Amino acid sequence: MMNEAIPNLTAFDEAALDKAFASLEAQARESAAALDVEAFRLKWLGRKQGLLNEVSDGWLKAAPGPAKKAVGQRFKVLKELVEALLEGAGPTEAAADAALRAEAIDISLPGTRRLTGSEHPITRTLNEIVSVFAALGYSVGVGPEVETDFYNFECMNFPPGHPARDTQDTLVVAAQERKPLRDRLLLRTHTSPVQMRTMEQQPPPVRIVIPGKVHRNDAADATHSPIFHQVEGLCVDTNITFSDLKGTLDHTMKALFGSAVKTRFFPSFFPFTEPSADVQISCIFCGGKGCRKCKQSGWIELLGCGMVDPAVFAFAAEKQSAYDPKKISGFAFGMGVERIAMMKYGISEIGSFFAGDMRFLGQFA
Ligand code: DAH
């Protein structure tokens, strides 16, 4: 069947052929201007229904013997024209062009908006803390979140049944009663066990910070979350003293909260340090005058620290004999990342960090 664009040829004289082919050439130019490259190719050069095929079947093959040559010459010219019109666009450009047109884009419509990702405020604070220590020459380590009773408690000088264990309400993995207590698994309640994992791996000197996630069986409220983050620190060398600890943490607090901040060290207790201290900073909200945030005291408690207890070194010395408390000394500290982030950014609900509300998180973009 003849395509409507290709009428039947009735006369084969030169003038009739010129006219018929001229009309096809005009059509080809028109469709080259109107169609994208791929559609044009299909319409004219398509293997089955392309117009050139139709002309070849309907005009050339059907032409009476004497007219074949005249039709053939003109067909060749038409074919070259179609190919020339098609040229000028590579295949990828052709495909892109086809895709663009297929979408029928209205360029006056607003575009598809992709949200820019940004660091979570906890990640950002954690990195900031770590980089203060990196600048002091500390390395960075990590340890497992599912820990054994031995690393989380026993080697950190919380013996079985010791009341200090009650200060860290622990989530334990179920059905392990058949294992010895020290091998039972729990979700680590602090990053301190990585102190021991580090010392077992390397002899002193050690200067390391350990950021990570910790878990406690605490009810959630404005300032408590059962999952939170800590940055642990450990420094062991010859002649490390409490004044090294004070200088290091005073510098860190000034780096994090501004050089006007003062620190003070308040006697405290942790099983794995002796002596132990809580570090307080002068209230960043009132400058130390006393306000609601610091309960009128002018000070805010921020982290725990102390000199590594010889009992902890004794556990480390089982694997690395260089941890001999007669020859070396060290300090350790541990800070809560959420608490520091809440202070820095004036956030009053710890839950905001974990709720996944984009209106909150977007403010840190
Ligand atoms: N592990 C303690 C806690 O989670 C924090 C801490 C206190 C870590 C004193 C230390 C330290 O390394 O010396 O409450």
Side-chain angles (χ1 to χ4, degrees), residues 175-223:
Q176 302 183 90
E177 290 71 19
R178 288 169 55 213
K179 287 188 193 169
L181 178 65
R182 54 157 55 192
D183 296 337
R184 292 185 200 164
L185 298 173
L186 46 81
L187 300 186
R188 69 177 177 193
T189 56
H190 53 174
T191 42
S192 301
V194 194
Q195 289 188 28
M196 187 57 62
R197 290 186 174 276
T198 304
M199 289 191 281
E200 287 181 348
Q201 295 296 317
Q202 63 179 94
V206 169
R207 282 172 182 74
I208 193 167
V209 279
I210 301 127
K213 197 180 282 171
V214 302
H215 306 254
R216 291 196 194 173
N217 189 18
D218 286 342
D221 64 22
T223 56

Side-chain angles (χ1 to χ4, degrees), residues 18 37 41 53 62 64 76 80 115 134 153 155 161 163 171 183 198 225 232-233 245 302 327 354 356 358 362:
D18 281 346
V37 181
R41 195 190 61 74
N53 264 349
K76 185 165 174 278
E80 282 165 2
L115 294 176
F153 290 125
C155 72
L171 293 157
D183 296 337
T198 304
S225 156
E232 188 81 15
L245 170 60
L302 217 50
K327 296 189 181 132
F354 308 114
M358 297 294 279

Side-chain angles (χ1 to χ4, degrees), residues 168 190 192 195 216 230 232-233 270 272-273 304-306 332-334:
Q168 304 191 353
H190 53 174
S192 301
Q195 289 188 28
R216 291 196 194 173
Q230 292 185 332
E232 188 81 15
F270 300 101
F272 40 91
T273 44
C305 67
F333 55 86

